[in-house]
Amino acid sequence: MIVLKSEREIQAMHESGKILAACHREIAKLIKPGVTTWEIEEFVEGFLKKHGAKPEQKGYKGYQYATCASINEEICHGYPRKTPLENGDIVTIDMVVNYNGALSDSAWTYKVGNVSKETERLLEVTEESLYRAIEVCVPGNRIGDIGHAIQSYVEGEGFSVVRDFIGHGIGNVIHESPEVPHYGLPHKGPRLKEGMVFTIEPMVNVGTYKSVRDPNGWTASTADGEYSAQYEHTIAITKDGALILTKQ
Ligand code: MF3
Ligand code: CO
């Protein structure tokens, strides 16, 4: 069942999303060669505390950290760690913020120093695919239109779309209905209705879309070791289209 949110609930999730967006803006300034994702993790914990918010991922299904920090070929759910980032790396920082019980979820891929031309294009295409998907989020369209917008664009650019992880409804808990695949067919799936709130979070790979799972049970990486990028927003469907709750 897809729970529709009231204007007040969406307002509360928007306040949560503004804190998350502000946190990402600060992370963007911190990322550089030599910095560790453990330092980013500690920064995020402090930032959220200062703003009266909580890291919802910490303790979720046994996950231990406020952030997921996925480097280079890691697709998602990387653990923050004490290895310094190096020039040419990319790192995706993903987090869920809880502010007075209202959740928001947003991931962003950052460049570390100077990256290759191909990596640059991977990031541009992945971010653009998210905004193309958001464009089709108007009442009356369907969930399949979202996946189709992402997949047709990304594959046309020569990259691939991860299948094993998808966007999701979000409310009192991180994951609820509907499922939001980043691939699929137009005019298929549930109809978008005013009051739906969900994430769109395309993970785009340079090579194969196939992933492998680390023995830690969480971290997913590309099967061929090529780079993967991700941009994620939490959005609400309004009568005028999508409202981005985590806009930076
Ligand atoms: N933020 C993730 C998402 O976009 C959810 C993370 S699951 C966790 O779906 F366990 F790592 F927190
Ligand atoms: Co997320």
Side-chain angles (χ1 to χ4, degrees), residues 56-68 76-77 94-96 104-107 165-168 174-175 199 201 203 218 230 232:
E56 186 73 7
Q57 291 189 162
K58 204 169 178 170
Y60 179 75
K61 294 188 174 166
Y63 190 76
Q64 305 266 348
Y65 310 102
T67 61
C68 296
C76 63
H77 304 162
D94 187 5
M95 73 186 99
V96 180
S104 57
D105 187 356
S106 176
F165 302 90
I166 60 180
H168 50 89
I174 298 182
H175 294 117
T199 72
E201 48 181 301
M203 284 145 272
W218 279 99
Q230 180 184 27
E232 173 184 26

Side-chain angles (χ1 to χ4, degrees), residues 24 105-109 122-137 145-147 149-151 153-154 161 167 180-182 198-204 229-235 242 244-248:
H24 267 306
D105 187 356
S106 176
W108 217 252
T109 299
L122 172 70
L123 302 197
E124 278 169 21
V125 167
T126 310
E127 185 178 358
E128 171 70 15
S129 78
L130 170 61
Y131 290 107
R132 287 186 180 215
I134 290 172
E135 282 288 304
V136 304
C137 288
D145 295 315
I146 295 172
I150 294 168
Q151 186 181 18
Y153 170 63
V154 164
V161 176
V180 185
H182 306 111
F198 54 80
T199 72
I200 305 176
E201 48 181 301
M203 284 145 272
V204 172
Q230 180 184 27
Y231 293 86
E232 173 184 26
H233 275 312
T234 300
I235 66 150
I244 302 175
L245 303 181
T246 47
K247 192 171 183 164
Q248 290 174 34

Side-chain angles (χ1 to χ4, degrees), residues 159-173:
F159 296 129
S160 71
V161 176
V162 170
R163 313 284 200 271
D164 291 341
F165 302 90
I166 60 180
H168 50 89
I170 177 167
N172 298 327
V173 289

